[in-house]
Amino acid sequence: MANINTITPPSLSLLRSLRFVFLKLIVSSVFLWRERKKSPPPKMTTDWKSVRLFPIPSVIYLIHNNVQFATLMYVDTSTYQIMGNLKIVTTGILFRLFLKKKLSNLQWMAIVLLAVGTTTSQVKGCGEASCDSLFSAPIQGYMLGILSACLSALAGVYTEFLMKKNNDSLYWQNIQLYTFGSIFNMARLVVDDFRGGFEKGPWWQRLFNGYSITTWLVVLNLGSTGLLVSWLMKYADNIVKVYSTSMAMLLTMVLSVFLFSFKPTLQLFLGIIVCMMSLHMYFAPPHMLVDIPPAIKSDPESLVNVPVDRKTDS
Amino acid sequence: MANINTITPPSLSLLRSLRFVFLKLIVSSVFLWRERKKSPPPKMTTDWKSVRLFPIPSVIYLIHNNVQFATLMYVDTSTYQIMGNLKIVTTGILFRLFLKKKLSNLQWMAIVLLAVGTTTSQVKGCGEASCDSLFSAPIQGYMLGILSACLSALAGVYTEFLMKKNNDSLYWQNIQLYTFGSIFNMARLVVDDFRGGFEKGPWWQRLFNGYSITTWLVVLNLGSTGLLVSWLMKYADNIVKVYSTSMAMLLTMVLSVFLFSFKPTLQLFLGIIVCMMSLHMYFAPPHMLVDIPPAIKSDPESLVNVPVDRKTDS
């Protein structure tokens, strides 16, 4: 059993995520309302066949949340963080399987390297207080960690499918997503309240409890990140998202070195190099990476020569 | 200043390497003698213009040895070991510059990743006694470390040039290399003896001192490694050598986990993945790594179509 007390209790994090969802719902509604005044009006599919697909990400997140909590019963937080990088690889696999996007061998290698690079940067240095107990957790912890990575990837890939399946307005898609999200969230809060016998009062009385300027800034920040992720899912893809979150994490670590005078570690430096290489391997066009043999380049001269070559062959 | 007492004193390591050189000289002579009885006889260039190039690697090693010792005055052994991985990158650079071998961008990235991978596997775990002081050594230490990496790469690349410049017998080339090597080695031992005032007697009396079965096995092992390296330089190249030494180091670490129950670290595991990816990136043929766009594949149909395209262009 690990130090669960360092983890936010689930009902508190539910309240917090409900705040983000409400914020995103309000912002998306405002944008949609403004878009409807323009011509042409935004495309909005209100068909039940389409709408019924939008609760599914919320269901996946609900399961994921519980699996996450179960994982933390078996592994400590740093092992949990390390295992979180598995999500990069599972996202690649589900992206290939469900969205039918073909990746080259080099792109697969890039995805594995991205996971390895982010993990490297998180390896505990030799001066740190708590040691990794990465290879000593019970097997259930690892199994749940893998399941958690798969669920997280599935939610991402499914959201990308939802956002791209038609050219509905992004804000309309967001509203559907967040409406179902908030319903699921509120339902769970009510269940929690009943279980706790309304000791702390119903959830809606606690929604605006303990608000400071920092809390508002965090809500605003995470809320706008959520909206940007929707945008990424519609106009880019899950792999772009995985790269941007990894780069953001590394950038945060580098900034912490400068702003909060964190001691830079060798593993942070090595991890950054591996991630940069991975980025280049994934996104650079093939001809920038390998020398494509001149024989198959179609320059006019070789075109003239080919018939002669073919004659000598036969 | 670092813990120099953990490093072998130079005169002892000179004696040791003289043993290897003698062994390699004897073995190469036997092989050459056997080869001369066959027909066609081995090619042997005895021209002074060719022979005079063979002392140069010994001169480079002599300088390298001194630089190495100077480096250890500024950095500790673990930092020294970490900086040793720079040799991989400098070998790539000198290989390109002096031997005029062209590498693709992907191969350059593979070389950098190999250096990063081997370094990752050597990162000190959080339970270990002595901490890396990697970012706290004086600047001279780093400069000397870089110089050391360049000299080591230069010796390797120059030896490859020597071995490949003509199709002389490998054993004849070895004999020239090792003869000059032993001359330089003996000269330094004589100088050391004079400096020490023959306190421990002349070096040839100490050559077979303190020999056990283990020492003989080590001499035999390192002697045969030396001969295999000559073979690699003649029939493969420096990059192949760099990969094989790195893989051997990782294999040793993995075997230590099983044989001597060393605790496996996360960084060893991550380092191995990075090195494997690097190996594949360097040696796999391009078409196995990237999907070469079908447009530039020269299938007969596109050849027929091209003139039509060109007409429409003009």
Side-chain angles (χ1 to χ4, degrees):
Chain A
M1 292 286 163
N3 46 338
I4 305 179
N5 48 340
T6 60
I7 310 298
T8 323
S11 65
L12 198 70
S13 82
L14 270 177
L15 259 182
R16 203 196 277 164
S17 66
L18 189 60
R19 288 172 194 149
F20 306 144
V21 173
F22 279 159
L23 179 76
K24 291 189 278 188
L25 203 47
I26 294 165
V27 174
S28 299
S29 306
V30 171
F31 277 119
L32 185 67
W33 173 72
R34 285 180 49 166
E35 217 176 34
R36 290 195 69 172
K37 291 197 295 188
K38 283 182 203 160
S39 76
K43 222 178 144 283
M44 284 166 60
T45 313
T46 50
D47 187 13
W48 174 237
K49 265 192 177 171
S50 163
V51 174
R52 70 175 177 186
L53 298 173
F54 283 80
I56 293 173
S58 304
V59 175
I60 302 172
Y61 281 120
L62 181 71
I63 302 169
H64 179 236
N65 216 295
N66 285 297
V67 171
Q68 234 175 343
F69 205 69
T71 313
L72 283 162
M73 310 273 272
Y74 294 103
V75 302
D76 58 38
T77 40
S78 72
T79 306
Y80 182 77
Q81 190 196 18
I82 295 278
M83 283 202 298
N85 297 314
L86 262 183
K87 201 181 78 177
I88 297 173
V89 179
T90 52
T91 300
I93 296 171
L94 297 188
F95 183 72
R96 170 72 188 86
L97 289 180
F98 293 145
L99 300 179
K100 306 268 188 293
K101 301 281 175 76
K102 264 209 107 179
L103 300 176
S104 70
N105 283 342
L106 197 65
Q107 286 178 316
W108 281 114
M109 285 164 70
I111 289 175
V112 173
L113 281 177
L114 182 67
V116 170
T118 50
T119 311
T120 302
S121 72
Q122 293 166 353
V123 166
K124 281 273 162 72
C126 84
E128 277 177 78
S130 72
C131 264
D132 278 341
S133 52
L134 192 74
F135 295 112
S136 56
I139 185 78
Q140 291 96 320
Y142 300 116
M143 301 301 284
L144 285 168
I146 294 170
L147 181 62
S148 178
C150 291
L151 285 170
S152 167
L154 185 64
V157 166
Y158 190 84
T159 308
E160 184 178 335
F161 159 74
L162 276 186
M163 300 310 251
K164 282 184 177 158
K165 79 177 168 54
N166 56 27
N167 56 355
D168 268 18
S169 156
L170 173 64
Y171 307 114
W172 170 236
Q173 291 176 320
N174 273 347
I175 288 171
Q176 295 174 79
L177 217 49
Y178 302 144
T179 306
F180 287 111
S182 58
I183 293 172
F184 274 86
N185 224 319
M186 288 185 289
R188 287 180 63 202
L189 281 166
V190 170
V191 170
D192 280 8
D193 281 352
F194 268 103
R195 277 197 191 146
F198 289 94
E199 257 178 24
K200 297 169 284 179
W203 62 265
W204 54 86
Q205 287 182 6
R206 282 174 285 136
L207 193 59
F208 296 97
N209 272 4
Y211 257 49
S212 66
I213 182 80
T214 325
T215 330
W216 272 113
L217 285 175
V218 171
V219 170
L220 262 175
N221 177 17
L222 286 174
S224 49
T225 308
L227 289 169
L228 282 174
V229 168
S230 303
W231 189 89
L232 266 184
M233 290 299 176
K234 193 169 177 79
Y235 302 111
D237 62 38
N238 263 286
I239 306 294
V240 173
K241 191 203 149 201
V242 154
Y243 271 97
S244 40
T245 26
S246 301
M247 295 302 157
M249 187 203 76
L250 293 175
L251 187 64
T252 310
M253 286 170 93
V254 171
L255 286 178
S256 308
V257 169
F258 291 102
L259 296 178
F260 311 116
S261 54
F262 273 37
K263 210 179 150 237
T265 60
L266 176 60
Q267 46 270 41
L268 172 59
F269 180 67
L270 296 172
I272 290 173
I273 300 179
V274 174
C275 289
M276 290 298 157
M277 296 285 164
S278 159
L279 185 73
H280 193 62
M281 278 164 69
Y282 190 91
F283 292 103
H287 69 86
M288 272 182 68
L289 293 170
V290 293
D291 303 320
I292 290 163
I296 59 167
K297 269 187 195 152
S298 58
D299 58 312
E301 226 172 314
S302 72
L303 290 176
V304 175
N305 288 336
V306 166
V308 182
D309 287 342
R310 286 173 75 201
K311 258 181 209 157
T312 53
D313 274 352
S314 57
Chain B
M1 294 286 166
N3 46 339
I4 304 179
N5 47 342
T6 59
I7 310 298
T8 321
S11 64
L12 197 71
S13 83
L14 270 176
L15 259 182
R16 204 197 278 165
S17 66
L18 190 60
R19 286 172 197 152
F20 306 144
V21 173
F22 279 160
L23 179 76
K24 290 189 279 189
L25 204 47
I26 293 165
V27 174
S28 299
S29 307
V30 171
F31 276 119
L32 186 67
W33 173 71
R34 283 179 50 164
E35 216 176 36
R36 291 194 70 174
K37 291 196 293 186
K38 282 182 202 161
S39 75
K43 222 178 144 282
M44 286 167 59
T45 313
T46 50
D47 187 13
W48 175 237
K49 265 191 175 170
S50 163
V51 175
R52 69 176 180 189
L53 298 172
F54 282 82
I56 294 173
S58 303
V59 176
I60 302 172
Y61 280 121
L62 181 71
I63 303 168
H64 179 237
N65 215 296
N66 284 297
V67 171
Q68 232 175 343
F69 205 68
T71 313
L72 283 163
M73 311 274 271
Y74 295 102
V75 302
D76 58 37
T77 40
S78 72
T79 307
Y80 181 78
Q81 190 197 19
I82 294 279
M83 284 201 296
N85 297 314
L86 262 183
K87 202 181 79 177
I88 296 172
V89 179
T90 52
T91 300
I93 296 171
L94 298 187
F95 182 72
R96 170 73 187 84
L97 290 180
F98 293 145
L99 300 180
K100 305 268 188 292
K101 301 280 174 77
K102 264 209 106 179
L103 299 177
S104 70
N105 282 343
L106 197 65
Q107 287 178 316
W108 281 115
M109 287 164 69
I111 289 175
V112 173
L113 281 177
L114 183 67
V116 170
T118 50
T119 312
T120 302
S121 71
Q122 293 165 352
V123 165
K124 281 272 162 73
C126 84
E128 277 177 76
S130 71
C131 265
D132 278 342
S133 53
L134 192 73
F135 295 112
S136 56
I139 185 80
Q140 293 97 318
Y142 300 116
M143 302 302 283
L144 286 168
I146 293 169
L147 181 62
S148 179
C150 291
L151 285 170
S152 166
L154 186 63
V157 166
Y158 190 84
T159 308
E160 184 178 336
F161 159 73
L162 275 186
M163 299 311 250
K164 282 183 176 157
K165 77 178 168 55
N166 55 27
N167 56 355
D168 267 19
S169 156
L170 172 65
Y171 305 115
W172 170 238
Q173 291 175 321
N174 273 346
I175 287 171
Q176 294 173 81
L177 217 49
Y178 300 143
T179 305
F180 287 111
S182 59
I183 292 170
F184 273 86
N185 222 320
M186 288 187 287
R188 287 180 64 204
L189 280 167
V190 170
V191 170
D192 280 7
D193 281 351
F194 267 103
R195 277 196 190 146
F198 290 94
E199 256 179 24
K200 296 170 286 180
W203 62 266
W204 54 86
Q205 285 181 6
R206 282 175 287 133
L207 193 61
F208 295 97
N209 271 5
Y211 256 48
S212 65
I213 182 79
T214 324
T215 329
W216 273 114
L217 284 176
V218 171
V219 169
L220 261 174
N221 178 19
L222 286 173
S224 50
T225 308
L227 289 168
L228 281 175
V229 168
S230 304
W231 189 89
L232 267 184
M233 291 299 178
K234 194 169 177 82
Y235 302 111
D237 62 39
N238 264 286
I239 307 293
V240 173
K241 189 200 151 203
V242 154
Y243 271 98
S244 39
T245 28
S246 301
M247 295 302 157
M249 187 204 76
L250 293 175
L251 187 63
T252 310
M253 287 170 92
V254 171
L255 286 179
S256 308
V257 169
F258 290 104
L259 296 179
F260 312 117
S261 54
F262 274 36
K263 209 180 149 234
T265 61
L266 177 59
Q267 45 271 41
L268 173 59
F269 179 68
L270 296 171
I272 290 173
I273 299 179
V274 174
C275 290
M276 290 297 156
M277 295 286 164
S278 158
L279 185 74
H280 193 62
M281 279 164 70
Y282 191 91
F283 292 104
H287 69 85
M288 272 182 67
L289 294 170
V290 294
D291 303 321
I292 291 163
I296 58 169
K297 270 188 192 151
S298 58
D299 57 308
E301 226 170 314
S302 73
L303 288 175
V304 174
N305 288 337
V306 167
V308 182
D309 288 342
R310 287 172 76 200
K311 258 180 211 159
T312 54
D313 275 352
S314 60

